[in-house]
Structure formats: C-alpha cells, structure tokens
Amino acid sequence: MPYLLSCAKLSAWIAGAVLLQMIGLSLFVIGFFPVKPALSGVSGPESYRAPKCDSAEDREELPRIPPDQLRSSYREMSGISPFYDRLILVVIDGLPAEFVLGKNNESPTISMVEAMPYTQALLSNGKATGFHAKAAPPTVTMPRLKAMVSGAIGGFLDVAFNFDTQAFLDDNLLGQFYRIGWKMVMLGDETWIKLFPGLFMRQDGVSSFFVKDTIQVDYNVSRHLEAELQSDDWNLLILHYLGLDHVGHIGGRNSILMLPKLKEMDDVVMRIHQSISSPHDIHHRRTLLVIASDHGMTESGNHGGSSYEETDSLALFIGLESKLPEYAPATCKTVSQVDLAPTLALLLGVPISKNNAGILIAEIFDFLSDSELLRALELNSWQLLRLLQAQLPGLLCSNRDYRHLEYERGLGSNACKVSSIEDKFGCLFSKATALHDFWRSQEGQESDEFKGTLVAYYDFLTNASEWLSWRATDKPLEFLVPGIIALLVSCCMFLSILFRLCKEASLRRKHQHLDSVNPEMEWHLDDTFIIVLILILVISMGSSSMVEEEQYIWHFMTSTLYFIFLRKSIQLLLTAEAKKLCNGNKGSQYSKYYQFCSIFVVLVCGRILRGWHQGGVNWVHLLDISTWLEKVGHHFIQSIKISSMLFVVSFGIFGHCRSKSKGNFVLLIRGSFLASGLLLLYIMKYQDHTLTSSGPSSTLITQIVFLTLGVTVIVGALAFPWIVPLSNDASSAEQLSMIHCSIHQHISHPFLGLRCSSYSVGWLCMTCWCLLQLLLQRPTNAMPMSLLLLQILASMLYFSLHGHHKEWVEVSALYFLGLAGHFGLGNSNSIATIDVAGAFTGISSHSTFLSGILMFIITYASPLLCFLSMTMYASVKDGDALLSGQDVNLGVLLQAMIAFPCVVPVSLNSILLTMCTIILLLMRNHLFIWSVFSPKYLYACAATVCVYIGVSTVAATGIYLCSVYFFRTRKKISSNQHTATKNPN
C-alpha cells in the first residue's frame, strides 16, 4: 500500500506549521513582554513644585545653566539642608542581607559575624544602619542596578537584556549627578560602563559573566582603592565587587570560599570607613558610604527568581548622624530596593528620577528637622503623583473636593472609601497635603499634627508605590489575539499531520495483515493515558503551585506510563502471542526476561532521578541525594563521577565492539572515546566544585575535549553510512543483534544496511553527548546523566522486543523521559536553577555567544539526549516490513525513517506551548504573573527552541543516511547490471 501523504507534501505542511507557530509566538511575546514604558526627559526644577492637572503644562525644559549654578538652585528650591558632598557606593554582588543582618529578627550566625567583624561593630555601635532591601524579580544584575539608580520597576524581559547591556537612557541618579557637575569614578562590573557610557572620568571594568574567576575580579577593584580614597577630584565613587557572587555560583552559600570572601569585603568596608572618618582628613568632605547588594542567592548560589533568598538584598548606610543611639534594631526593617533612589537623591541634593516608584527611607532622614522631613515626603509625593498622572490621566483633574473628609489622626487610608482608583489616590494625596498645610499654619507647634501628617504622606506613598510596582503592563490586543490564533492554527496543523500518519500506519498494518487482531486500529490503555497526561499538564498550568512543582507531574506520569507498559507485557506473556515475539534465534527464550528487566531498569532509574534533586519551591529545603553527597565530601562525588565516565566510555566502546566491518575506523572511534575519558580524568582534579577557577592547563584540555568530541561526531556521522555494508552481511546483522532479538530473520533484507548506519550514528552521538555533559554538568549531576542514558537504552531494548505499541506512543515515551530527566538534573521553572558556572567551562575569556550556547546545552541536556536517541530508534524497530511491496524511493524511505520521531515531539510541544500561552493571557492580572507564570512561559519558549533543534538534528541525520544509502544502492544495482551485461553467461 503506498503512502497517501507524500514526503514532499508532509514536509511542506510541517514547514508551514512551524512558520506559523514562530509568527504567532513572536507576536505574543512582543505584545505580552514589551519594554516597560517610561516617562521621557529628566526631572528638573518642576519637581520642586506641586504638579498641575495638565501634565503638558507641567513640563519644563531643563535650564541651560552651568552645573554649579544648577546645583545651588536645586538646593535652594528643595528646602532641605545639604548634608553630604560625596557618595561612595559599594555594591557587593549577590550578598544576601541575612549574612550581615540576620533573618526573622535573629542575629546572623556566629560564622558570619566572625567573617565581618568590622561591619558588625559598626552596626552594634549605631554607626551604621542596615535594611533588608527587597529586590523585584528578575533578580539579575542589570535590572537591579537600574532599579537602584532610577527607582523604576523594570520589565520582565530585562532578564534577557542582562546578557547584552545597552545604554540606560531613562532619568537616573548618575545622570542627575552628571548635570550638577559631579565627577564620577567607577571600578568593577563593566555593566555600569555599558549602562552609563561617557559619565565616568575614570573607570576600570571587569566582566561579570566569567564566574570561574573569584580572585582577580575583586583584586582589579581593590588595587585602585587606596589611590582613590586619597584623591579629592571625585564626588561619586562606585565599587562593584563580583567575587562573592562568583563564589556562590561555583559552590553555593556554603562554599569554603564564602567566609574568606566575606572577610575580604569586611576589610574593604574598614579601609573605606577609616579613610572617610579619619580626623586627619585634609579635605574635610562629608562622605556617605552605602554598602548595597543587587540581589541575594539560593542555597546553590544561583539567582534570578523570586524566592526570599534571591530577593533579600542589602542596604547599609554608614556615616549617618542619627539621634537614636540604639539604631541597630533597624537592621530588622525591610524596605524595597527601589527606595534607594529617592533616598539618595534627597540626601545628595538632586531631583528624584521621573520614573521612580520608591519611597524615601524615613529613618535615614532622622537628622533633619520636622519641617525638612515633611518637605522631603512632599517632594517624593509630588514625583509619584506625576507618575500616577501618566498612568491615570484623570487624577486630580476632576472638580471633586476631598477636603471635607475627616482628617483625624489614625484613620489612615480607611478614611478614603471611594469607588475608583483615581479617587482613592486623589483622596490620600489631598488628605496629606491638607494636614501638611494645617501643620504649617500652626507653625509646627503641634507634634500630634506632625505625626498625623507623616502617617498621611506614607499612606499615599505606600499605596502609590505598590500600585505602580504591581500594575500589569498594558498588553496590546492587536498583537496578542493574532498571536494566539496563529498558535492555535499551527497546533491544529501539527495534530492533523500526526493523525494522518497514525491512520496511514494503521491502514498499512491492516493491508499487510501483519497482526491478526490488528491492534493498531484499537485504543489501548497506553494510548489513552498519554492523552490523559497531556490534559493533566494543561490543567496544571493554571495553578501557580503546580507550575512551581511541575517536576512531580513529569516524574509521576512517566513512571505510570512505564508501569502500563509493564502491565501490557505481562498480559501478552499470558497469551499465545508471547510465543511469537522472539522466534528462530538463540536468544529468543530470554526475550521475555529482557522485557521485564528493561522496564524495571527504567522505573528504578526514574525513582533515583526523582530523589536526586529536591526541585521546585515548597520543598527545596528538604534533603535530597545531591545535597547528601555534597555533605559527604568531594572525594565521594569524584568517585561517582569517575564511575559514570567509565560507564559512558564502556557504553560507547561496547556499541561498536561487535562490528567486524571497517575495523580500523571503528577502532579509531573507540580510541576517541578512550582519549576523551582520560582527558576527563585529568580535568577532574581541577574541577573541584568548591575551588575558584580552572587552571590554564585545564582550560586547554577542556577545549581539546570539545574538539575531540566534535570531530568524532562529525567524522563518524559522515563516514558510517559509507562504510557500513548495505545488506546480506552477517557482521551488519550482528551489530544490531545485541538489542534486537529477531534481527537474524531479516539478515537478507535490503534495508538492513540503512538500519545499521542509523544504529551506529545514534550510538556515536549519544556517547559523545554524555561525555560532553560529564564535562559541563555539575559534579553531582554525573550519575543522573548515566541514569538517563541507561533509561534510554532500556527503553530501546523494550521497544525492539515488544511489537504491540503504536509508534507514536513509543516516541512519546522517549520524549517524556527527556522531560522528566530535565527536572531530574535539578532544573525547574525558576530562572535561579540555570547553571551559570558551567557555561564558562573551557572558555578563557567572556563570550556571551559561546556561554549562551553552553548554558542552553547544560539546561536542556536531557531532552536533547532523547532526540539524539531517536536517530537510533529507527534501527531497533522492525520497520522494514512497512516498505515491502512498495516502489521504494527516497521520499518513502525518509517518511518511514523519520516521520514519527519528528512529528510527535513538535505536536506534543505545540499543544503545551499553545495552552501555556492561553493560560498566561488569562492569568495576566494574577499576583504571581511575573514571578511564576512568566518564567514558566520563557522556559516553554526555550523548550520550543530545543524541540526544533532536536527535530532538525533527527531530520538532517535521517535525510543524510537515506540519501547515502539510496545513492549506494543505485550505484550497486548499476554496477551489477553492468557486470551482467559484460558476462551474459
């Protein structure tokens, strides 16, 4: 029976569906994740006047006056006495606030106190004031720096822009300082230089992404410190230390390098503080020292998500003259990271940035008089009111008067019981200004009125800041609706293609009477379960908790699917059909035991993978196997890694050891595996998960491993189709016999050579991929990679012995194994689980492109391994019979080889991506839209890229194998015909 859906038509439909899906995905991403809009221009003299109803009338061009005059004008209009002339901002990248201030009203641990004795002494003596500065997700460096200097809440896609920093053009503190003539010096993370090009009179930047470096990256900052502290030509000194963040990425919070690094940072604080507080300071400049961190880190040392550990950043003010001697209890106070921007602006005499959503920290202004403190709150309120007016144009423009409300002390925002958000903000602002005016009329004599005014201002500021921070970005329907429609149409196209393929496979089975009861035409438990599994996944996407704990779904569902396979095997063994499974070869009597053993191996390995990493959010603190291994010691982890490496190398050698054809070439491949394994052993002595960076020799050896594996894959994949015998060769059959018990009955089949080529190339690619992952993955992930490989091999063995599963079910099972393994390697739907440290393996200097590729390879190691296994999948299935009786051409051959391995994954992924898109739109106003659902959607987009790469690899390999085989077959036929013509007798 011929194929009803030709290869050309099938390819055209798939290409059209893919193109439509990419268009729809692009439209939706552009519409849902736009760059957050910001007010244009910069704050100027108008920021010291009350805002007007018409925002256009409120705009004022910044006067073109000399910086000195502008600085004096700002100080005069602000009504706040200037107190500081200079600012030293020390950013310690990745420092959790609890390391310095403790957690839950408890003091930091003894080890942390001993690591930073000078800083702790400043806190206990009231010479420093510390705060837990909550950072907004995504907790990566670039958007957090923007938040600190502008007070603005960045867009979610800033997590992507973090790797390609562009100049920051919005209003910010550094721009304001530059306009009043401040001289600025920057030492450390080059992100500052990229954000603010041309603003620094001196700068020395270091790359923030080369996380293997924990020493030189901080030495490059501190080496200039003494000279800068003695210099008097700057007003702002920025020091951004990266070493502590790099220590976290390499070894986590509990790294043996963490305490020495904290001691190093404490020494920096001591040197700076002693310099600015020295009585022998000849410059007599009033300097404020601020120690801040951009974000915290998880127990594993990563960041990017929204957990408490990641958002717990530090804000430490040193040099304040507080009227309260017991100021240390303020270390338990929590503020927002964006509150730094208005606080520093008012302390240093510049206007608050236009897009600021922060609130000044009142405790910092304790040295001000009552009138100056209320003036500072008034300026902050005016700035936030202007930002509100940009979002709510009708705010304060109505004729409604709120001053008739009861302005009694203690009523707070409860006095403003209004229907609309505009009326609420209008009421809160009017209440604060009325109380302020009344206090002024009393000439500041009533302390109770002062407290009431203070409370009223903070009611307005708090409500306005929260509304601005959590307000969903406008999402244009002209992008979202067409995007979703395109994704739905694309999904329907994929499913219709899959349905046609399944129908054709069933009709061919029925036409050839290969099965007496024709099971292909019936629905069985395994078929139904996969549909149920997809429905459960779709439904679970609507729950934030299920999204956070998605790994449980994949582990449970994949294990259940293989239990169904086990049940089906038992049923078949109890029937007469079991006798037909393996017939006519030496190993037939053992085939039923192979089936049980193969499924048993898959289930046992899956259970170990389930307990290897305690992923998700809710139970991440519980002990898992990887955590236990880290506690046992690094030598034990190295032993496991060596064992895993030996297993993978043995697997690669065993795969070709029985092939007697072209023995020299096979010997060369085996030698490549051995050489890579020996090089990996050499690298392991440098790859201690607690050490700083790989040595130069380790980097060179790593690059040699990359080259060796790459050349082996390319040369092997290109050569095997040419050197494997085409057919009628016992050695070719023997190569497959180890995994296919019935291969001997097909020794003379003309397509045996193609299957042997597919088997050899798939085996080669899987071995090299696992060796690459042993080099890139964390040391604790060496065993999970071996378990994943073992699961795939066991599945291949089971599918080769068991002929009663539909082909789409088997491909789905392999795909699900890859997704379950993705979580088994410690990945989750949080950006914090991305392994940044491994992305710099073998790289001597920072390269965003190369690091990004390695990061993707590490994150999607398991799904890509399963795609590589699908190259070998065609060799273990007895699909030759499907081609018998047909006029076989290249298109028919290709469709039989790669149709299901390509169409099934893209169809399943299309369902999940489309439903995830719809749910994201429905949840656009959910509280966790940016912390849970949006990261999940980014992972869904990345998984789509992974599927496209995997399917393209399978398709390209299949096309090459079939083309070479077809060419060699035609050439052999022509040669035989020519020989027959010359020798007619």
Side-chain angles (χ1 to χ4, degrees):
M1 175 187 170
Y3 281 88
L4 301 178
L5 189 61
S6 66
C7 185
K9 187 182 295 184
L10 178 65
S11 301
W13 274 93
I14 293 177
V18 169
L19 179 61
L20 194 60
Q21 186 179 72
M22 295 306 297
I23 292 174
L25 185 61
S26 300
L27 288 173
F28 187 84
V29 169
I30 292 173
F32 198 89
F33 299 109
V35 177
K36 197 174 180 72
L39 295 179
S40 59
V42 298
S43 295
E46 79 284 351
S47 63
Y48 297 103
R49 298 192 299 266
K52 300 177 182 178
C53 176
D54 187 356
S55 58
E57 298 177 2
D58 199 31
R59 298 190 189 124
E60 180 176 331
E61 292 293 332
L62 198 64
R64 298 182 179 276
I65 59 177
D68 291 342
Q69 294 183 21
L70 185 61
R71 181 167 62 250
S72 300
S73 176
Y74 283 162
R75 289 183 174 180
E76 181 180 348
M77 288 187 293
S78 69
I80 302 173
S81 303
F83 196 77
Y84 296 103
D85 303 308
R86 301 198 302 177
L87 170 65
I88 300 177
L89 176 61
V90 180
V91 179
I92 304 177
D93 205 295
L95 175 63
E98 67 177 273
F99 281 10
V100 180
L101 307 177
K103 182 180 178 181
N104 297 330
N105 296 330
E106 297 180 359
S107 301
T109 61
I110 297 177
S111 60
M112 295 298 173
V113 173
E114 293 175 347
M116 305 189 74
Y118 192 84
T119 305
Q120 294 297 333
L122 292 175
L123 285 167
S124 60
N125 295 332
K127 294 182 179 179
T129 306
F131 300 91
H132 293 264
K134 184 179 169 107
T139 47
V140 292
T141 297
M142 188 268 288
R144 296 302 94 228
L145 296 184
K146 285 183 178 181
M148 285 193 284
V149 299
S150 69
I153 304 295
F156 184 80
L157 283 189
D158 275 343
V159 68
F161 301 148
N162 185 62
F163 297 96
D164 186 22
T165 306
Q166 304 295 324
F168 188 41
L169 302 179
D170 296 342
D171 192 13
N172 60 83
L173 278 176
L174 271 65
Q176 292 287 353
F177 292 153
Y178 185 78
R179 281 182 281 276
I180 64 172
W182 271 29
K183 305 298 182 184
M184 293 176 280
V185 177
M186 193 275 136
L187 307 172
D189 187 355
E190 63 183 9
T191 303
W192 289 91
I193 301 173
K194 295 178 180 179
L195 285 174
F196 309 104
L199 293 190
F200 303 110
M201 69 173 184
R202 285 192 299 275
Q203 61 190 32
D204 186 9
V206 295
S207 174
S208 61
F209 294 106
F210 192 59
V211 299
K212 293 292 184 180
D213 180 13
T214 64
I215 299 175
Q216 192 67 33
V217 71
D218 285 344
Y219 171 75
N220 289 339
V221 179
S222 296
R223 63 179 176 172
H224 303 289
L225 184 56
E226 201 63 38
E228 294 297 344
L229 290 177
Q230 295 177 4
S231 176
D232 189 39
D233 62 346
W234 54 263
N235 302 92
L236 172 62
L237 174 62
I238 299 176
L239 308 171
H240 192 138
Y241 288 93
L242 293 161
L244 187 137
D245 180 67
H246 292 183
V247 168
H249 280 300
I250 295 173
R253 285 193 175 203
N254 299 318
S255 169
I256 61 173
L257 295 176
M258 186 61 73
L259 295 181
K261 181 57 67 174
L262 289 173
K263 182 66 173 71
E264 180 183 344
M265 294 298 98
D266 189 63
D267 291 339
V268 171
V269 174
M270 179 180 66
R271 290 170 63 186
I272 298 174
H273 181 254
Q274 289 179 351
S275 174
I276 64 176
S277 60
S278 172
H280 304 292
D281 182 11
I282 60 174
H283 305 304
H284 300 293
R285 304 288 290 273
R286 295 172 297 181
T287 304
L288 174 64
L289 172 60
V290 177
I291 312 296
S293 59
D294 50 351
H295 52 74
M297 65 173 67
T298 61
E299 288 297 323
S300 62
N302 292 325
H303 55 87
S306 57
S307 67
Y308 173 82
E309 289 77 12
E310 297 163 87
T311 59
D312 182 34
S313 61
L314 175 69
L316 187 65
F317 294 82
I318 301 174
L320 296 171
E321 291 191 2
S322 171
K323 292 185 290 188
L324 296 176
E326 64 283 357
Y327 223 68
T331 58
C332 299
K333 184 174 177 60
T334 299
V335 297
S336 178
Q337 192 177 61
V338 294
D339 296 344
L340 281 173
T343 301
L344 293 177
L346 293 172
L347 279 174
L348 299 165
V350 294
I352 302 174
S353 303
K354 274 196 171 185
N355 296 289
N356 164 70
I359 306 170
L360 62 87
I361 306 172
E363 291 87 346
I364 301 302
F365 294 87
D366 190 65
F367 62 89
L368 295 179
S369 63
D370 291 348
S371 61
E372 289 179 324
L373 178 57
L374 290 181
R375 173 60 173 171
L377 291 170
E378 184 180 48
L379 293 176
N380 196 181
S381 298
W382 288 350
Q383 178 269 320
L384 282 181
L385 184 62
R386 287 185 172 89
L387 196 57
L388 287 171
Q389 286 177 329
Q391 307 272 357
L392 305 169
L395 183 59
L396 291 184
C397 291
S398 63
N399 296 324
R400 182 171 180 180
D401 184 12
Y402 300 100
R403 298 187 178 235
H404 67 280
L405 292 171
E406 292 274 342
Y407 296 131
E408 296 180 5
R409 188 174 70 255
L411 284 179
S413 58
N414 293 330
C416 298
K417 296 181 180 179
V418 290
S419 58
S420 67
I421 190 67
E422 291 91 344
D423 287 345
K424 177 181 178 180
F425 287 133
C427 172
L428 291 173
F429 179 77
S430 298
K431 174 184 175 181
T433 55
L435 286 173
H436 194 180
D437 291 342
F438 179 77
W439 182 82
R440 284 196 188 101
S441 67
Q442 300 296 317
E443 298 181 352
Q445 299 298 320
E446 295 289 337
S447 61
D448 290 342
E449 295 300 332
F450 167 75
K451 294 179 181 178
T453 307
L454 205 64
V455 170
Y457 269 125
Y458 268 103
D459 280 339
F460 170 73
L461 291 170
T462 302
N463 281 275
S465 178
E466 290 178 354
W467 187 82
L468 289 168
S469 299
W470 292 102
R471 182 176 183 269
T473 305
D474 291 334
K475 301 169 180 63
L477 293 179
E478 60 268 20
F479 286 104
L480 301 183
V481 173
I484 290 181
I485 292 176
L487 287 173
L488 283 171
V489 173
S490 173
C491 183
C492 292
M493 291 175 66
F494 281 127
L495 292 178
S496 64
I497 294 171
L498 180 59
F499 177 77
R500 288 289 299 274
L501 288 175
C502 293
K503 185 177 180 180
E504 287 187 0
S506 299
L507 290 175
R508 285 195 304 275
R509 291 281 187 182
K510 182 178 181 181
H511 179 74
Q512 297 173 17
H513 303 287
L514 295 181
D515 295 299
S516 58
V517 296
N518 192 21
E520 295 285 343
M521 299 297 293
E522 301 176 4
W523 277 88
H524 297 278
L525 183 59
D526 51 354
D527 313 331
T528 306
F529 181 77
I530 291 179
I531 305 300
V532 173
L533 188 155
I534 295 173
L535 291 176
I536 292 175
L537 285 169
V538 169
I539 295 173
S540 69
M541 290 179 184
S543 167
S544 60
S545 298
M546 294 300 290
V547 170
E548 291 175 336
E549 310 296 341
E550 186 180 353
Q551 71 276 1
Y552 293 109
I553 298 177
W554 284 111
H555 288 305
F556 176 76
M557 293 298 177
T558 305
S559 298
T560 305
L561 178 61
Y562 275 86
F563 269 115
I564 293 174
F565 290 166
L566 181 63
R567 173 183 176 272
K568 194 166 188 176
S569 298
I570 295 174
Q571 288 178 330
L572 290 175
L573 286 173
L574 297 177
T575 64
E577 293 183 31
K579 300 178 181 179
K580 301 178 183 179
L581 288 176
C582 295
N583 187 23
N585 67 80
K586 185 177 179 180
S588 61
Q589 56 182 325
Y590 301 109
S591 63
K592 58 183 179 180
Y593 302 109
Y594 291 157
Q595 291 185 39
F596 281 107
C597 292
S598 60
I599 298 182
F600 182 76
V601 167
V602 173
L603 292 174
V604 171
C605 292
R607 183 60 188 91
I608 297 174
L609 284 171
R610 158 66 185 83
W612 201 272
H613 289 282
Q614 189 65 53
V617 175
N618 296 317
W619 296 281
V620 71
H621 61 281
L622 298 179
L623 185 67
D624 52 32
I625 299 176
S626 62
T627 306
W628 176 78
L629 289 175
E630 290 175 350
K631 291 182 178 180
V632 170
H634 178 65
H635 295 292
F636 192 63
I637 296 176
Q638 271 198 331
S639 300
I640 293 179
K641 187 168 185 178
I642 292 173
S643 302
S644 301
M645 185 271 297
L646 292 175
F647 168 75
V648 174
V649 172
S650 301
F651 158 73
I653 295 174
F654 175 74
H656 300 94
C657 69
R658 298 182 63 182
S659 176
K660 298 180 177 61
S661 60
K662 303 295 181 181
N664 291 335
F665 182 77
V666 174
L667 184 63
L668 182 64
I669 295 295
R670 281 186 276 173
S672 174
F673 294 155
L674 283 174
S676 300
L678 292 174
L679 291 175
L680 280 174
L681 285 175
Y682 180 80
I683 293 172
M684 284 180 188
K685 68 179 182 179
Y686 293 100
Q687 216 173 25
D688 189 332
H689 71 295
T690 59
L691 294 180
T692 54
S693 61
S694 300
S697 60
S698 175
T699 301
L700 177 61
I701 297 299
T702 301
Q703 294 171 352
I704 293 175
V705 174
F706 287 156
L707 182 62
T708 303
L709 294 177
V711 171
T712 302
V713 168
I714 294 173
V715 173
L718 292 176
F720 267 122
W722 295 97
I723 65 176
V724 171
L726 290 176
S727 60
N728 299 322
D729 190 280
S731 64
S732 299
E734 196 174 343
Q735 187 175 352
L736 285 173
S737 63
M738 66 187 72
I739 57 174
H740 198 307
C741 67
S742 59
I743 191 65
H744 286 285
Q745 55 189 320
H746 302 290
I747 288 178
S748 60
H749 198 280
F751 299 107
L752 180 60
L754 177 61
R755 298 174 65 194
C756 289
S757 298
S758 174
Y759 167 84
S760 299
V761 173
W763 199 283
L764 172 68
C765 292
M766 291 169 62
T767 303
C768 291
W769 183 259
C770 289
L771 287 174
L772 176 64
Q773 293 302 326
L774 290 179
L775 178 63
L776 297 177
Q777 293 282 344
R778 299 170 185 168
T780 53
N781 274 351
M783 182 61 73
M785 281 305 304
S786 301
L787 295 175
L788 284 170
L789 180 60
L790 199 56
Q791 279 190 311
I792 292 173
L793 292 177
S795 298
M796 291 289 183
L797 176 61
Y798 173 73
F799 294 148
S800 68
L801 297 172
H802 199 297
H804 289 75
H805 292 299
K806 298 185 180 71
E807 195 169 357
W808 73 271
V809 172
E810 296 175 346
V811 174
S812 298
L814 289 174
Y815 180 67
F816 294 155
L817 273 183
L819 293 177
H822 172 73
F823 293 101
L825 290 173
N827 296 293
S828 71
N829 288 322
S830 171
I831 300 173
T833 54
I834 296 177
D835 184 8
V836 179
F840 296 90
T841 304
I843 300 178
S844 56
S845 60
H846 172 62
S847 171
T848 302
F849 177 73
L850 293 177
S851 300
I853 292 177
L854 291 179
M855 195 178 300
F856 185 86
I857 289 174
I858 294 171
T859 303
Y860 289 95
S862 176
L864 289 174
L865 176 62
C866 288
F867 279 114
L868 293 176
S869 72
M870 290 181 190
T871 303
M872 191 173 71
Y873 171 75
S875 69
V876 302
K877 293 301 295 180
D878 185 16
D880 296 342
L882 298 179
L883 298 170
S884 61
Q886 300 191 57
D887 183 16
V888 178
N889 54 39
L890 182 60
V892 173
L893 204 59
L894 280 173
Q895 189 165 342
M897 282 280 292
I898 63 176
F900 279 105
C902 290
V903 174
V904 172
V906 294
S907 300
L908 294 175
N909 180 78
S910 180
I911 296 173
L912 299 179
L913 177 65
T914 303
M915 296 311 301
C916 190
T917 304
I918 295 173
I919 289 174
L920 184 68
L921 183 61
L922 296 177
M923 295 291 175
R924 63 189 181 277
N925 294 319
H926 195 279
L927 181 63
F928 299 141
I929 182 62
W930 303 119
S931 58
V932 176
F933 293 104
S934 294
K936 164 61 181 174
Y937 193 71
L938 291 186
Y939 272 105
C941 295
T944 302
V945 175
C946 174
V947 169
Y948 286 158
I949 292 174
V951 167
S952 299
T953 303
V954 174
T957 305
I959 291 172
Y960 177 73
L961 293 177
C962 292
S963 299
V964 173
Y965 172 79
F966 205 73
F967 173 78
R968 292 180 64 196
T969 302
R970 294 304 181 191
K971 186 177 179 180
K972 183 177 180 180
I973 293 174
S974 299
S975 177
N976 292 338
Q977 290 176 347
H978 180 69
T979 303
T981 303
K982 292 179 63 177
N983 302 291
N985 295 326

